[in-house]
Structure formats: C-alpha cells, structure tokens
Amino acid sequence: MSGNHFFTKLCTATFTIATILLWTGRAEADEPLFSEVTAALGFSQTATTWPPGTHALPEIVGSGVALLDYDSDGDLDVLHIRFPPPGKENSAAPNRLFQQRSNGTFVDVTEAAGIGHPGYGQGVAIGDVNNDGHVDVYVTNYGPDAFYRNNGDGTFALEDVGLSNNAWGTSATFGDYDSDGDLDLYVANYVQFDPETICRGKHSAPDYCHPSVFEPMTDRLFRNTGDGTFTDVTQQAGIAAVSGRGLGVVCLDFTGDGWADFYVANDGEANHLWVNQTDGTFAEEAILHGLAFNAYGQPEASMGIAVGDVNKDAQPDLFITHLFSETNTLYIAANDSMFIDMTEITGFTGIGLPFTGFGCGFLDFDNDADLDIALVNGRVKRGAILDGAALGKFWNFYAEPNLLFQNSHQPSDKDRNFTRNLFAEGFQRFPTAHFSDVSARAPDFTGRVEVSRGMAFGDIDNDGDVDMVVSSHDNRLRFFRNDAPPPEHHYLFVQAITQNRDAYGAEVTLRADSRTLTGYVLPGTGYLSSSDPVVHFGLGAIDKIEAIEVRWQDGKRERFPGTTSNRRITVYQGEGVAF
Amino acid sequence: MKKLSFLLLLLLISAPVFAERLFNIPQPDDLDLVEEKRLLNAVETAQKAVRNAPDDAEVWGQLGHVYLIHRWEVPAIACYRRANSLAPDEFRWLYLLGRLTTRREPEAAVKYLNRARTLNNAYAPAHLYLAAALRTLGKLDEARQHLESAKRIQPDNPFSELWLGEIALTQRQMKLAQTHLGNALRLNPKQSEAHALMAQVAIALGDKQAAKQHAQAARHTTEYGELSDPVWREVLQAGVTAPLYAERGRRYMTEGNYASAVAEFEVLISRTQKDIDVWLNYGVSLLHIKRYGEALAALKHVQTLLHSDKDVQKEKNPHEIAYLQAQSYNHIAQIYYETGQPDAAILTSKKAIQLFHNNVRNSQPSDKARDPEYTTFLANVHANLALTYEDIGQLEQASAQYQKALELLPTKSALHRDLAGVYWKMRRYAEAEPHYKIVIADEPSDVQAVYRLGLIFLTKGDYEMAIARFEKAIELDSAHGPAYEAMGIAYQEIGDIPSAIEAFEKRLQLEPGNRKALEMLKQLRQLK
C-alpha cells in the first residue's frame, strides 16, 4: 500500500518536473541569449579556406583580439591580431584595426592608422603608457614583439621604447606594479619552439607537440621609467627565478596588500603567482596561495584566465581554462589570501572535461547582478570529429563548441546535496556561487564547432549589456550580440580614471539595497586578448546606487556619490571622499 | 516454390548472423592518417577478428585494447560496451568501461565499477577508480571506504593515502590530511601532488617553513609508483607503436624482467633509431642479462649519439647530455667490472664522476643540483667504484668511495653494510661497528650483520653483548654453525662451561667432524 502511494507520488513528481522542463525548455529555446552579428557589423563573412595545418605549434596557439577605444570617441573599436596561414609563415598577415562608425558598423582603418604589423601575431595588451589619454598597443608575436604609440590623431607609430622581447610572447598585460602612477608591462613567454621537431601520438600519426617537448621561457617584466621608455627589470625583479610555459597573465592585487601581483597561467605545469614584495621584486608563491595546482595537487594545462568576484565577498576569484580531460578550474578567494579550487562545488563537474578551453571571461550577461562565464574551445591534439564540424578534414579533428554558464547562486537539490556531502565539515563558511550550463540557450555562440582562441568583452553596441568577440584559428572574427537581459534588469557602467588614463587594477564597489557588488578595472584577462576596461555591473532590479567606492591601484580608497541605474559614469581619482 | 521456401528458410536462419555481421565496427576518425604499418596491421587484424566472430566478446575486447592503447578512446569505449553486452559477467570489460568514464561520466563509472566489484572485489584499481568517481560526485564517505579497501588489498599502492589526504583536506580536517599525506610521501617521496597538498595543510596549521619546503618539492614532476593492474597490462600488450614498445620495456625493467625488456627494445633498435632513452635502456637491460658485448656496443652507441649527432644535441640541453653521458659511463664501468677488467672499470667510473661534477652538478642552480635523482646517481657511481676497488683488494680506496656514497645517501643501509664489510676485511672492527649497528637497526634480520657485530663485541671483551647477538643470529638462522662456535667461545670466556659445551655440541651437530668444535669440546670437558 505504501509502495503504491510512493509510486503515485513519484509519477506525479516526475510529470510535474517534466512539464516544467518542457515549458522552460520551450521558452529558453525561443529566446537565444546571444546572436551572431558579424556580418551586420560590416565584417566579411566570406570564409577563405584555411590551409591544413603543418603541426607547427604556433599555428594551433591562435591569436587574440582587443576591444579598445583607440580614437577616444566613446565607442569600442576592434584590433584583431593575426598570423600567416600554415605553411606560409613568411607571408604577411598584418593585424587589423576596425573603427566603429556612428551607425554601429565597423570599417577597416588599419592602413590609415599605421598599425598593420606583419609579424606572426599572438597576443595584445592595451594601455595608455604615457598618460596622455590615448591608449597604446603592445602586440606579442612568435618573434619580436611590437609597440605602437597612439599619436592621438587616429594614427599609431611603431616605436622602440625598450619593450624588446624576442622570445615567443603570448599574453601580455599592463599594470602599475610599482605604484608610481604609470603602467608597466608583463609579457608571458611560452616555449623555445623548434620548427623541425615532429611529434607523433601513440598512434604514430603526426600531431602538435606537447609543450613539454620544448624548454620553458622566462617571462619579461618591463618597468615604465616615466619618460616614455621602459626598462627590462626581469632579472632584478626576480621574475627570472622560475621559468614557465606561459599562456595567460593578469595583473591585480591578489594578496590584499595594496600592491599589484601577477598571476601567470602556464601550460602543463604549475601556474605562477608573482607576489609583489613592495620593493620592486617579486616572489613566486602560487603553491602557498593555492593557485598553482587543482584541488588534487595536480598541475593542469592552463590557457586563459578570468577574474571577478563571483560570490560577492569583495574578493577576486579566478577561472582558468584547461585542456580536455582536465576541468576548467574555479578558484574562490577564501581568506588570508588563500584560494580554494571550488570547481566541483560550483557546478562545473564534468562539463568542461571533453573540451580544451582557451579564451574566457566573467560577464554578467543577463544583468542579474552576478557574474556568469563564457569560454571558447578548440583542441590542440587530434580527437574524434564532432557533429557539425565543417572546417575541412584537417581542422575538423580540432573543432569543438563553445560554452556558456549562468550563475544562479541557487544550486539544484542535487548540487545542494553534493555541497552538503563535500563540505560537511569544510567550506560551508565560504560564500560560493553556482553555475549552470546554458550553452543550449546561445546556439549562435555555442552551436558552431570550431577552433576558437581569443575572446574579448565589452558593450559594443552601447545598449547596456556585455557583448563578445571571438577569434579563431583561421584569423576569423565572430561577434555575438547580447540579447539576454530582460528589460527589468538594470545596469551601470563605471569608468575609473587615474592619471588621465583608465585605472588598471582598481577595485570598484557598488553599495545598493543592502548589497555589495565588486568589479575590477582589468582589461588584460582571458587569452591573448584585451577587453573594455570600463567596469560593467548588472544590477537586477536595483535601480539606485547608494555609493560607489573605489580602491585605487595604489591602495587609496575613495567614496563617490550614488547614482541611478542604466547609465555610464566616470569617476576620477582625487575627486571622491577618501576613507 | 520449394526453392523459394528453402531460400526464405535459409534467410531466416542466417538473419541473426547477418545482423551481427552488419554491426558497425567503430572506427577512429583519423585512422587514414596513420603511417605506421604495424599499427594498421594490428587494427586490421583486430577488426577482421571481429568480422569473423562478431558475437565473441573477447575479439571485441581485443579491438578495444588496440584502440585504447593507441589513444582512440571513443571507439574503444564502443568496443568494450559491445564486449560487455556479449559477456556481461566478464570483469575486464566492466572495469575498463568504469576506468574510462571515471572523470567524464562519473555516474556511469560508478555503475560499471560497482558491477565489476561484484565479480571481483579484490581488485585494488577498481576500488581506486570507483573512489575517484565517487569523489567527483561528492560522495566522500563512500570514496573513503573504497580507498581504504584498495589500501587493504594493495598496501603499497601509491594512491590510497594521497586521495584520502585530499579528501581530508577538502573537509578541512588538517591533522588527518597531514597523516594521510605523510603516509603517501613515505610510500612515494616523489609524489608531487602530495607535496602540493601538504603545503596547503602546513599553511593551515601555521607551519610556513614546512609549507615552503613542500612547495619547493611540489615543483618537481611527479614520478608515479607503479599500480599493479593486470587488466591494464593486457591493454598495454596490444600496443604496437614505438612509444608503447618503449613503455613496456621500461615497465619490465622496473620489475627486474630484463629479458622481456630486451625483447621490447629490440623491436625499436635500428641504425636510424636516435632515441637516447631507448638505446640506454636497451644497453642496461642487456647488461642485466649478461649479454655484455651487446650491452657495451649499445652504451657506446649512446655515447656516440650524444657526442656527435646533431639531432640529439639539438633535442637535449647540455646538462641532459652530460648527465646521460655520465649514466652510460657508469653502466660501461659495470660491464668492465663484470668482464674482469677492473682497471678499465675504475677509469670509466672516474670519468662518470668527473663529467657529472663538471657538467651536471656544478653548472646547475643549487636547488636543481640537489635533485634526489642526481644524488642517488652519484652515490651509485661511487658505490660501484668502491666495489671494483674492493674486488682488487684496494680496500683503502674502496672505503673512501663508500664513504663518499654515504655522504650523499647517509641513510642507505646497503652502503653501510658494504662499508662495514670493507672495514671488516681490513680488520678495522671499531670502524665497522657503527655501520653494522645502523644496518641492524634498519634490517634486524640481517644475519651476517648481527653475527659480525657479535664478533666485534667478542673481540672487545663484551661477552654478554656478544652472546646476545649470537643468540639473535641463531634465532634468525638456526643452522648458523659459526654463531654457535663463537657463542661457545664467549661462554667459555665468562666461565659458563656447560653453556659453552652446549654451544660447541650444537656446532658439531650441524657439522659433524668439525675439528675446531671437537678440540674445544675436549678442552672444555677437561675443565668441567
């Protein structure tokens, strides 16, 4: 009798759940979260057939993309870092600068701007190195890197300012590590690649080499001397003490002492956290801060880095993309500047394992006041061809779909049980986040099976939400317009300015409705790419901000008056109330 | 009409067979990119076997092995699934399916592995993979139980303690984590994961110094201990490409099965082979099976490649080249020693030491130079040199070399035993004594050390201590005649004549007609 009763209840419950799923499924399917708008923005959709690869490592590393306002007209422009096709390494593949016009479309201004460097492009860092209000550009190459000074008139000048890096540079980031008011530069270097080395898998067919086949490189740190030139301080700063196979780098104060540190994602080995010793030197302490390995103490093949406060505790958390069979790993800042791998507790178990992640970023795509995650994938070793791959025989083996995760803060019952089991005696005191895989709701972004690499974020169409641009292995760009936020979800953009430039490394906190939201002025995240430095806050139903607080990169704090939602504001260091 | 009925009947009878034959054989997407003929033949042979016997689970499993070991996991899983559907009670297919799905589909893995356990609950790797899947699913208590089971079945497996430590750390049970991780490191000091986790435990416990030490150790690449896994061994046997022959060869070497190792490496040996590790391992394996001439040729080829092959020189950095040269010199010296050429052995060992000091150790950063692998290598070279000196009676040089080895590895019992043996030969018993004490502390059952320590006490006139050692030696080896004889002398010295007689009588029982015993008994009985 009781058995029958249980069965009836089970059937009812199953029916109810199925009904809910059906309806939500329909509603979601009808409203894609992102739409591809590449052609509508004026970018060519004519796909030139990318030649089959030659298994030279640089061709699988890909290149980045930057969203920047190079002409200071208030909208985002695009710099695409490019490289020659496989087998044609000596042919020119100049980078391309696209200016956004007043109608929202883009025009190629590379030639006029004088920024079409023909090197083997990899990554890009954007920053105003001379505090003149115009962003300058540093491009890493497989080969000598290049620096372009922004002349302020829509043109750039290729200059030798002491930023010489002849190694294989990948990601680079500007940051004021010595708190002297100007931007310094950190360049992650990858490996000493030998083009003649041929690697074969266990099935004997040639494939791309594992990076461990090649010697790791020393990264480079350049100090801005303040007179428009830089000094290579790699040795004296201690950065040369440990080399690595760097692919991603971010500059932020991860230890809470008011000084900028550098976190480097290394491929297949321990990540590095260069902790600022406040005397111009750094000590590598990733293991001591829990950021070198995953929860199991294992090194992973780290590629891209996202930074943001996903659990609203006013501390920066990190998300790192990895190789297939490894998780994409979420490190939550705990206390005493320790980070804890909470990948499993936050809902990522198993989801990223089949894929190889590269570009990534935290973004509040639905403006609901918590940070979501987008990432792009593409293999570095041949694998089974996935349905939908249409890149030609060679590249189909490397093609994978992208992923989108939504932060709900509300775990499912199953995940709640998981959390209870996992952290019964452990991390319950740490606030956390919870992510759900919503890739199916963004088919334009996640439905294509390609080899994607770089990724940049910003409100390209100035409509109050964060859009995305993705670069691929074949010098192709794809733009994704954010259609997710419902009208009742508000937003605020905050541009923080110091010394006449964006205040890289500043922490911006909004206080409203008994809630605290924290964001970072941090364009140099992800993989080989650079995003809009303006901090975006999704506000959900909040329509009034009580106060804006900024902890500037030099550690000073200021409070600024509150404001209403759905607008862009700018705060300047020195104009707030110190506290 | 009859003909038609017959054809229909034939069709009906053979339908299942055709259906089986039509069953799709999973194919790797990139099979056409494979150039290695041995692999193409292996795939074709395994596929043909499946076509010939499509309802034979074994042939499906074998095809799965061929795919899996050559990194084609997706078609391998399909083959094992088919094998499992044909033979649901076969442990291997369930175990492999569980193992392959542990991370990507942990729920499926739990099902496969639990079913496998019902067929064989004493297979440690099944418990370990099940624990991993359960850990991924957040079922920590169940995971812990299976890790404990794996530990019971295979106490020296390198993973149980590590993962138990990880679970304890996750639950912030720091003391427990410290215990498990400490055990893991005792089982395998080169397990970097354990060091990485231990660093976090040390920070949580406020021991920054220990945290830094573990952090430093965690930077090294993990050298995993071998997990006894016969099913995986079967999979590995299906490998036919060069890296897999080499892997099998290395595994045989770690097991001391050098004849099989040689058989694996021989497949790879050719004029065009430039893989130094293959040549070196081949030479070492030949040395162990006493094919000295071929071993010497292989190791000299290593030297030639390192010295003059541009590809090899480009692939390796100068430190690696020097270290490999030093290694091959050390093995060549062993060959000279074994073939009765001590002078050549000494010269070659000295070359290895000089090369190592000049081009490996002194030219590396200090932390790298202290690498345990380097230390162990250098100690071995000194010990080999000592052995050669000892053999030709140059005992001063031998003791000096053993001392150098002991400076590098002060806790290695075998070196203490060897040095004590040299002192023994030199009749420098006082110097031998502390080394025998260390040997006995480490290996209380070392009869020779116990007996010799007894003799040292006897010569010092410490008869009670001597008797205690002889008794221990007899306890360990009841047929140890010399121990009875020495004990008899000790009893005689302390005036216990009946015990002395008893000891010599035992000696005589073990060796009737022993003249020394007969003579002593005669003297003792007169005293009595």
Side-chain angles (χ1 to χ4, degrees), chain A residues 280-443:
Chain A
T281 68
F282 290 82
E284 202 293 290
E285 296 181 356
I287 297 172
L288 299 178
H289 291 271
L291 282 172
F293 304 119
N294 66 12
Y296 299 91
Q298 297 161 331
E300 297 182 299
S302 302
M303 320 286 191
I305 309 170
V307 180
D309 176 16
V310 296
N311 57 346
K312 296 185 187 139
D313 65 350
Q315 298 188 88
D317 310 303
L318 292 112
F319 179 80
I320 320 289
T321 51
H322 290 126
L323 200 66
F324 82 100
S325 85
E326 299 173 345
T327 59
N328 292 312
T329 303
L330 180 62
Y331 295 101
I332 299 283
N335 48 19
D336 300 330
S337 66
M338 278 297 293
F339 289 78
I340 296 168
D341 175 355
M342 289 198 180
T343 305
E344 289 164 343
I345 195 174
T346 47
F348 286 108
T349 306
I351 293 169
L353 283 172
F355 306 123
T356 297
F358 278 88
C360 61
F362 288 122
L363 74 164
D364 182 1
F365 68 73
D366 49 1
N367 282 351
D368 69 346
D370 51 33
L371 288 177
D372 313 299
I373 296 176
L375 68 136
V376 296
N377 294 309
R379 293 176 191 142
V380 292
K381 291 269 180 203
R382 226 177 9 254
I385 296 172
L386 301 180
D387 287 346
L391 299 176
K393 186 179 175 185
F394 182 92
W395 292 105
N396 281 347
F397 288 116
Y398 300 90
E400 291 180 332
N402 303 324
L403 293 170
L404 186 68
F405 296 91
Q406 188 174 37
N407 186 350
S408 64
H409 275 289
Q410 296 296 323
S412 64
D413 286 345
K414 182 184 158 194
D415 287 326
R416 198 173 282 118
N417 285 333
F418 175 92
T419 305
R420 201 176 294 131
N421 287 333
L422 189 57
F423 297 106
E425 299 165 55
F427 295 127
Q428 281 184 341
R429 65 182 180 279
F430 300 119
T432 188
H434 192 271
F435 293 88
S436 308
D437 182 0
V438 293
S439 302
R441 293 173 56 197

Side-chain angles (χ1 to χ4, degrees), chain A residues 166 191 413 510 577:
Chain A
N166 292 325
V191 296
D413 286 345
L510 303 188
V577 177

